[in-house]
Amino acid sequence: MAKEMTTTAEDSAVTNPPNPLGDLRMTKQRKVVYDVLMDEQRDHPTASEVFIRAKERMPSISLATVYNCLETLTHVGAVKQVNVDREASRFCPNLQPHAHFFCSECQEVFDIDLKKQAEATTPWQLPSGAEVDHLDVTMRGKCPTCSEENSKAAL
Amino acid sequence: MAKEMTTTAEDSAVTNPPNPLGDLRMTKQRKVVYDVLMDEQRDHPTASEVFIRAKERMPSISLATVYNCLETLTHVGAVKQVNVDREASRFCPNLQPHAHFFCSECQEVFDIDLKKQAEATTPWQLPSGAEVDHLDVTMRGKCPTCSEENSKAAL
DNA sequence: ATCCTTTTTTAGAATAGTTCTTGATCTAAA
DNA sequence: TTTAGATCAAGAACTATTCTAAAAAAGGAT
C-alpha cells in the first residue's frame, strides 16, 4: 500500500519537532489557542478570555472551537485546567506539578511549585489500597501584593 | 412593652444549646437540611440529593430553599462545600480540616483527615507575605474498594 | 489533481447547576 | 396586634459549558 518514500506518522515524529498534541492535528485554531496560553500574560485566562485573545490573532475563530481546543489540549496534557470553586475554568500551560493560589482580592491565580517528593511529605495519609491519579491543591487568600497594599492603606 | 421575663437573644445564647447558625434563625427548613447532612449517609450529597432527602422530611420544601439553606450553613461554617472539577457542589458536615478523595470509579467522595500541623509539612512553599484563608486538597483516583474489585475482575 | 474519508470547525441550540426575583409567609420584637 | 425584617416558594433568568448538525479542511489513495 504505502509507497517507499511516503512519510508516516512515525517518520515525522522523528524528523519534525515533537507535536505536543501527539497524533492529533496541530490545526491553525489549536495553535492559536495554545500560543495564547504560552505567549501571553500567563495569567490563567478563562475560556472566554482565551476566546477574546484568540480572536485578535484569528478573528474567525469561534467560542465553541476555543472550548474544543482547550479540551483537546487538556486531554493530551499540553495544558492544565484549573478550577477554583465553581468559577469558570482557567487554563495554564505550566506542566510542572504545582498548586494554585487564588487571591480573593485581585482575583488572580498564581502557581505555587510543588516540591519534588510531594508524596513523601504530604500532611495526609491515604487509606491503603487507594490509587491517586491526580492531586489538586488550591489555596485562597491574599497574595503578597494585595496583602501589602492592605497594610499600607491601614496607615 | 417587654415583660420582665422576656428572653432576649443573649439570654438564649446562655441557656439554649449553641446555635450553629450564630445569629441567624434555625428555621425548620434549615434544620431539615442540616439534619439531612448530619444524620444520613454522610456521603457528600449534591444540592439536588439533599433536596430529595429533605423532601422526605418536609415535602413542601423547595429546591431554592435547599440552595439558600446550604448557602447559609456554608456561610456560617456549619457545613463545608466540596467541589470536584466542575461537577455539582457537594456538601458535608465534617468540620475537621480534611482533604477529599474522589473515586472516579464509584463516583464517591471520601474524607481524608489532614494531619495536625498541616502547615509544617506541606510539600509547597508559599511566597512570603501571602495569607492563606482556605486550603483545598482534592485527589482523584480509585478508592480501595474499587481498586480491589478491579484486580479481582482481572483474574 | 481529484475523489474519498475522517477530522475539525462553526453557529446556534440545549443543558445543568445555580442564582435571582417577586410576592407570600413567618417570626420576633415593640 | 402591629410592624419590620427575615425567610420561603416557585419559577424565571443566568452562566459556563456541551451538544448537534452541517460546512469546511486535511490527508491519503487513486
Side-chain angles (χ1 to χ4, degrees):
Chain A
M1 285 283 190
K3 281 182 289 182
E4 278 162 44
M5 292 305 292
T6 301
T7 45
T8 66
E10 290 75 43
D11 287 339
S12 42
V14 175
T15 54
N16 296 341
N19 182 348
L21 290 180
D23 287 340
L24 300 176
R25 294 180 196 152
M26 178 52 99
T27 62
K28 282 182 208 144
Q29 288 85 348
R30 285 174 181 162
K31 181 147 180 32
V32 164
V33 168
Y34 185 64
D35 287 352
V36 161
L37 291 172
M38 288 298 278
D39 298 354
E40 301 208 17
Q41 307 151 54
R42 297 280 194 130
D43 58 354
H44 304 80
T46 63
S48 310
E49 285 163 350
V50 170
F51 176 50
I52 291 171
R53 295 179 195 174
K55 274 192 100 114
E56 289 167 13
R57 302 175 181 214
M58 178 186 274
S60 66
I61 200 169
S62 79
L63 180 58
T65 298
V66 169
Y67 271 103
N68 284 340
C69 293
L70 288 171
E71 219 246 89
T72 303
L73 291 166
T74 302
H75 201 81
V76 302
V79 306
K80 281 188 177 170
Q81 182 166 6
V82 181
N83 294 305
V84 178
D85 298 335
R86 290 194 51 81
E87 293 179 9
S89 289
R90 298 157 179 264
F91 296 86
C92 80
N94 179 355
L95 297 183
Q96 298 315 115
H98 65 282
H100 290 107
F101 184 98
F102 176 72
C103 177
S104 42
E105 198 98 347
C106 65
Q107 310 278 312
E108 289 201 48
V109 172
F110 302 89
D111 287 354
I112 308 277
D113 285 337
L114 285 177
K115 291 180 199 147
K116 307 291 172 193
Q117 329 79 345
E119 287 82 28
T121 59
T122 54
W124 57 83
Q125 166 112 45
L126 285 178
S128 72
E131 294 170 33
V132 176
D133 294 333
H134 186 97
L135 169 63
D136 214 357
V137 177
T138 306
M139 287 159 256
R140 231 158 315 120
K142 270 189 212 123
C143 72
T145 308
C146 289
S147 193
E148 199 190 337
E149 276 173 17
N150 276 177
S151 43
K152 270 194 211 145
L155 294 179
Chain B
M1 280 294 191
K3 285 181 285 186
E4 280 162 44
M5 291 303 291
T6 300
T7 45
T8 66
E10 290 75 43
D11 287 338
S12 43
V14 175
T15 53
N16 295 338
N19 182 347
L21 290 179
D23 289 339
L24 301 176
R25 293 180 199 151
M26 180 53 101
T27 62
K28 282 181 210 145
Q29 289 84 347
R30 283 174 183 163
K31 178 142 180 36
V32 165
V33 167
Y34 185 63
D35 287 351
V36 161
L37 291 173
M38 288 299 277
D39 299 353
E40 302 211 18
Q41 308 151 53
R42 298 279 195 131
D43 57 352
H44 303 81
T46 63
S48 310
E49 285 162 351
V50 171
F51 176 50
I52 291 170
R53 296 179 195 175
K55 273 193 101 114
E56 289 167 12
R57 301 174 179 217
M58 177 186 273
S60 65
I61 200 168
S62 78
L63 179 58
T65 298
V66 169
Y67 271 103
N68 284 341
C69 294
L70 288 171
E71 220 246 271
T72 303
L73 291 166
T74 302
H75 202 81
V76 301
V79 306
K80 281 188 178 171
Q81 182 167 7
V82 181
N83 294 305
V84 177
D85 298 335
R86 290 192 54 79
E87 292 178 9
S89 288
R90 298 156 177 264
F91 297 85
C92 81
N94 178 355
L95 298 181
Q96 300 313 117
H98 65 281
H100 290 106
F101 185 99
F102 175 73
C103 177
S104 42
E105 198 98 345
C106 63
Q107 311 278 313
E108 289 200 47
V109 172
F110 303 88
D111 286 355
I112 309 278
D113 285 339
L114 285 177
K115 292 184 197 142
K116 307 291 170 192
Q117 329 81 343
E119 287 81 27
T121 59
T122 54
W124 56 83
Q125 165 112 46
L126 284 177
S128 70
E131 294 170 34
V132 175
D133 294 332
H134 185 97
L135 170 61
D136 212 357
V137 177
T138 306
M139 287 160 256
R140 232 158 314 125
K142 271 189 211 124
C143 72
T145 307
C146 289
S147 193
E148 199 191 337
E149 276 174 18
N150 275 177
S151 41
K152 271 193 210 143
L155 295 180

